[in-house]
Amino acid sequence: MVETMTRQSRNGSDNRDAARDLFAERGLRVTQPRVALAELLFGNGPRHVSAESLHEELVRSGAPGSLSSVYRTLNDLSCAGLLRRMPICGSTAWFDTQVEPHHHFYAEDEDRVIDVPGNGVHVGNLPPPPDGYEFVGIDVLLRVRRRGPPPDA
């Protein structure tokens, strides 16, 4: 979806058409709020969002949609393989528009997620999974914070 929409011209109707086509392909209901969310999510390249931050963008853009519809849409897009829900502890659910396997930094003091560049993490020496389970992926989350006093101090 990201590549489809970022390859389109910056004409909004191209992005809306791409979103409608993709939703239809995946069996997702096409609604005006979902199309508006897809434009915000996928219109400017890979990114990480929470439902709250995406809802704020939606409100600023003037498009319709409640916070609960944003949550529902993010979960539906994640189930359809168009987003990846990221396993970060805490009360905020984060979603990534890049669904390919990669790792993240989590800036605790900024409540922000940043991609680890390239193949910067190598994982080895894993224990076997518990009986009856199998590995489906490895998500490395490196928690960071800025050194020194906060920028506002």
Side-chain angles (χ1 to χ4, degrees):
M1 177 91 170
V2 174
E3 289 115 17
T4 302
M5 292 188 72
T6 54
R7 269 189 267 134
Q8 300 286 339
S9 72
R10 291 294 177 204
N11 179 344
S13 64
D14 289 341
N15 283 342
R16 284 187 290 277
D17 291 343
R20 284 186 185 100
D21 292 347
L22 195 59
F23 287 166
E25 278 175 25
R26 301 290 173 112
L28 296 172
R29 204 163 45 106
V30 179
T31 65
Q32 183 180 351
R34 279 188 173 180
V35 171
L37 287 169
E39 287 184 278
L40 292 172
L41 277 168
F42 303 112
N44 294 312
R47 61 188 297 214
H48 308 102
V49 297
S50 67
E52 292 81 5
S53 68
L54 189 58
H55 181 253
E56 288 174 16
E57 283 184 56
L58 188 67
V59 168
R60 280 195 307 271
S61 76
S66 66
L67 182 57
S68 63
S69 69
V70 172
Y71 269 108
R72 248 187 331 275
T73 299
L74 289 171
N75 285 317
D76 289 347
L77 293 174
S78 182
C79 287
L82 300 172
L83 287 179
R84 188 171 85 148
R85 186 177 178 147
M86 298 186 318
I88 297 177
C89 296
S91 61
T92 302
W94 287 92
F95 295 84
D96 193 344
T97 59
Q98 277 186 313
V99 294
E100 304 81 29
H102 63 284
H103 306 294
H104 297 94
F105 294 106
Y106 174 66
E108 291 182 335
D109 54 336
E110 300 171 19
D111 195 28
R112 185 166 76 110
V113 179
I114 305 161
D115 287 334
V116 171
N119 294 325
V121 176
H122 302 281
V123 179
N125 250 358
L126 295 173
D131 284 343
Y133 290 87
E134 65 182 356
F135 288 114
V136 294
I138 297 172
D139 296 300
V140 175
L141 179 69
L142 303 161
R143 296 180 180 279
V144 298
R145 70 174 147 234
R146 290 197 183 269
R147 280 183 270 192
D152 298 18

